[in-house]
Amino acid sequence: MSSKERPTLGGTRIKTRKRNIAAPLDPASFADAVVQIYLDNAGDLELVAKSIESSDLNFSRYGDTFFEVVFTGGRTQPGTTKPDEGDRHPYSIIDCEPKREVILPSVIYIQKILRRRPFLIKNLENVMQRFLQSLELFEEDERKKLAIFTALAFSQRLSGLPPETVFHPLLKDNLVAKGLVLSFITDFFKEYLIDNSLDDLISILKRGKLENLIECFPSAKRTPEAFSEHFTNAGLLPLVEYNEKKIFEVKLKEMKSALTSQIAEEADISEVIETVKQHVKDAKFPDIEVVRILWDVLMDAVQWSGKNQQQNANSALRQVKSWAELLNTFCTSGKLELELMYKVQVQCYEDAKLMKLFPEIVRSLYDQDVLAEDTILHWFRKGTNLKGRQTFVKALEPFVKWLEEAEEED
C-alpha cells in the first residue's frame, strides 16, 4: 500500500453537506414572457389564457408580476405603479376604454386563470391593494377603470376575492381628503348596481368594513346633506334612501335609549316630555313613530311576572296611569290614538302574558283621557289590523256596550 493511499471501509457512504440552491429571482424575464404571449396572440384573451395554461412559467413565484402585466401591460417598479424596464403590451386593463363591456372580458379571463391556479388569488389581492392605495398616481380615467374592474370582479364573484382586504387601502386619510376615494366608490357603486341589488352592495360593504360611507367623504363634507346631494346627482337614489333610513334608525335608537334611562330613574314627567320634543325636533320623527316608541319604551320598563296574570295586569295599568300625561302630550289626534290602539293590539296578540289584558289596558287609557270614545268605537267597528282582532273585539264588547249606552243617555 502506498503511503499516500488511505484505507477505507467498504460499503460506507461519504456524507456531504447539503446546500439550498435557490434559482435566482428573475421577474423581468417572467414578465417579458407573459408580455410576449399577449403580443403573439394580439391580445385575444381566449388564446392568451390557453397559451398561459400550457406554459411552464413559474406563477407560484411571480404571481404579483403576472397581475402587474395584466393590469398595466408590463412590470411596475417595486412599491409603485410606475412602469419598469422591459417589454410591454397594449392590451392591459389600464390601456382599454373605461367601459364594462371592454373590461368584463379581462375579469372572465382572470377567472379562468384562477380556476387553474387558485393560489394566485392572493397575488391578485396584493396587486389590487397596492394599486388602490396608490390611486393618486393614476389618471382619472384609469381610476375609473380600476373601479369598474373591482365592481365586475365582485359581481362575477371572482374566486372568492375578499372585500375586507381589497377595500382596506381606501381608508387612507390622504386619499379620502383629496376626494379620490369618494370618486372611486361612486364609480364602483354605479357599476355594481347594474347587475346586483342594493342588499348585495350593502353586504359587500359590511364585509369590507366600508359600511359607514360618510367616512369616504372629505372631512368638510361629512354631512347628511352632502351625502344626499352627491349620490343623488350620481343617480344613486336607492343609496341615499338607505342612508337616510340608517340615520333615522340610529336617532330612533338614541331616543329610545334616553327615554328608557329616564323612565328607569323615574325622572319628572315634564323632563321626559322635553326630551321627546327635543329628539323629535332634531330628527324630524313622524308623529306616528313617536307614539309607537313611547308605548314600546313604557311597556319595556314594566317588571313583568312570569305567570301571575293579575300581577301583570296591575303592573301594566299602573304604568299607563303613571305616564298618561306623556302619552297625552303626543297622542294629539284621532289618527294617533288609533295608532296607539293598534300598538296595544299587536303587543297583546304577540305576547302571551298580555293576551287577556287588552280590554283592561284600553279601559285604563280611556280613563286617563289618552283614548277618546270615538277612537275606541272606530277601532271596534272598522279596525283594519287583523292580529287577534276577533278575540279582542269579543273581549272589548262589554266595555263598548257600556260606552254606547252612555252615549245614548247623553
Side-chain angles (χ1 to χ4, degrees), residues 29 38 83 143 154 162 224 235 316 321 348 366:
S29 297
Y38 272 86
R143 291 194 291 269
F154 287 128
K321 186 175 181 179
C348 289
Y366 171 79

Side-chain angles (χ1 to χ4, degrees), residues 115-366:
R115 284 173 182 161
R116 185 73 178 267
R117 298 177 173 85
F119 60 87
L120 286 176
I121 189 67
K122 188 62 182 175
N123 302 105
L124 177 60
E125 289 177 43
N126 294 341
V127 173
M128 290 185 70
Q129 280 186 315
R130 176 149 48 92
F131 286 170
L132 294 188
Q133 70 184 3
S134 305
L135 283 178
E136 59 193 322
L137 302 179
F138 290 98
E139 299 294 331
E140 183 178 352
D141 71 323
E142 292 175 339
R143 291 194 291 269
K144 185 174 183 178
K145 293 168 194 175
L146 288 175
I148 293 174
F149 174 86
T150 305
L152 290 173
F154 287 128
S155 186
Q156 295 289 320
R157 291 166 176 78
L158 193 62
S159 292
L161 189 67
E164 54 271 26
T165 56
V166 173
F167 284 139
H168 182 70
L170 292 176
L171 298 178
K172 288 180 64 176
D173 291 341
N174 66 313
L175 297 180
V176 173
K178 293 176 181 179
L180 299 179
V181 173
L182 181 58
S183 176
F184 179 89
I185 64 168
T186 302
D187 289 331
F188 173 88
F189 294 158
K190 289 166 73 172
E191 187 60 45
Y192 187 80
L193 288 173
I194 292 174
D195 298 321
N196 303 276
S197 68
L198 182 64
D199 288 340
D200 293 330
L201 175 60
I202 300 307
S203 176
I204 286 281
L205 295 177
K206 284 181 178 178
R207 287 176 57 201
K209 297 179 174 55
L210 201 66
E211 189 184 8
N212 191 7
L213 294 177
I214 201 70
E215 292 181 355
C216 298
F217 283 71
S219 56
K221 296 183 178 181
R222 290 181 183 178
T223 64
E225 295 76 19
F227 186 103
S228 297
E229 181 182 1
H230 174 81
F231 286 114
T232 298
N233 292 339
L236 294 168
L237 191 58
L239 195 62
V240 174
E241 293 170 348
Y242 166 80
N243 190 63
E244 289 175 348
K245 181 181 177 183
K246 186 179 174 185
I247 292 173
F248 181 86
E249 290 172 350
V250 169
K251 290 184 176 180
L252 210 62
K253 189 175 180 179
E254 290 173 352
M255 176 174 161
K256 290 184 74 171
S257 177
L259 291 179
T260 299
S261 298
Q262 287 184 315
I263 290 172
E265 295 166 2
E266 298 183 350
D268 187 89
I269 197 164
S270 61
E271 183 182 337
V272 178
I273 289 173
E274 190 57 37
T275 296
V276 176
K277 287 182 176 179
Q278 190 59 50
H279 278 276
V280 170
K281 181 180 177 182
D282 293 343
K284 298 180 175 61
F285 291 131
D287 294 338
I288 284 181
E289 200 63 49
V290 174
V291 170
R292 292 169 180 164
I293 294 173
L294 291 179
W295 183 256
D296 284 340
V297 169
L298 291 178
M299 290 299 102
D300 287 345
V302 174
Q303 299 296 317
W304 300 107
S305 169
K307 297 180 180 179
N308 193 318
Q309 194 72 17
Q310 189 57 48
Q311 189 174 334
N312 284 332
N314 293 339
S315 297
L317 300 179
R318 187 164 52 248
Q319 189 78 329
V320 169
K321 186 175 181 179
S322 299
W323 296 97
E325 184 182 346
L326 175 63
L327 293 170
N328 250 324
T329 303
F330 297 97
C331 280
T332 55
S333 69
K335 181 180 179 181
L336 296 175
E337 290 177 19
L338 186 61
E339 182 61 32
L340 179 59
M341 278 204 74
Y342 286 142
K343 278 294 294 182
V344 175
Q345 175 187 346
V346 171
Q347 184 179 26
C348 289
Y349 173 76
E350 293 179 347
D351 193 333
K353 67 177 175 290
L354 302 180
M355 179 67 79
K356 296 181 180 180
L357 299 187
F358 179 77
E360 294 184 65
I361 293 174
V362 171
R363 178 65 184 259
S364 180
L365 289 168
Y366 171 79

Side-chain angles (χ1 to χ4, degrees), residues 14-55:
I14 301 174
K15 293 183 179 180
T16 59
R17 178 180 293 178
K18 292 182 178 178
R19 291 179 296 172
N20 293 324
I21 303 175
L25 290 173
D26 189 12
S29 297
F30 175 88
D32 289 344
V34 176
V35 168
Q36 193 59 51
I37 290 175
Y38 272 86
L39 295 174
D40 290 344
N41 294 283
D44 185 323
L45 296 180
E46 287 279 348
L47 299 177
V48 171
K50 289 180 181 179
S51 297
I52 285 176
E53 286 177 6
S54 61
S55 72

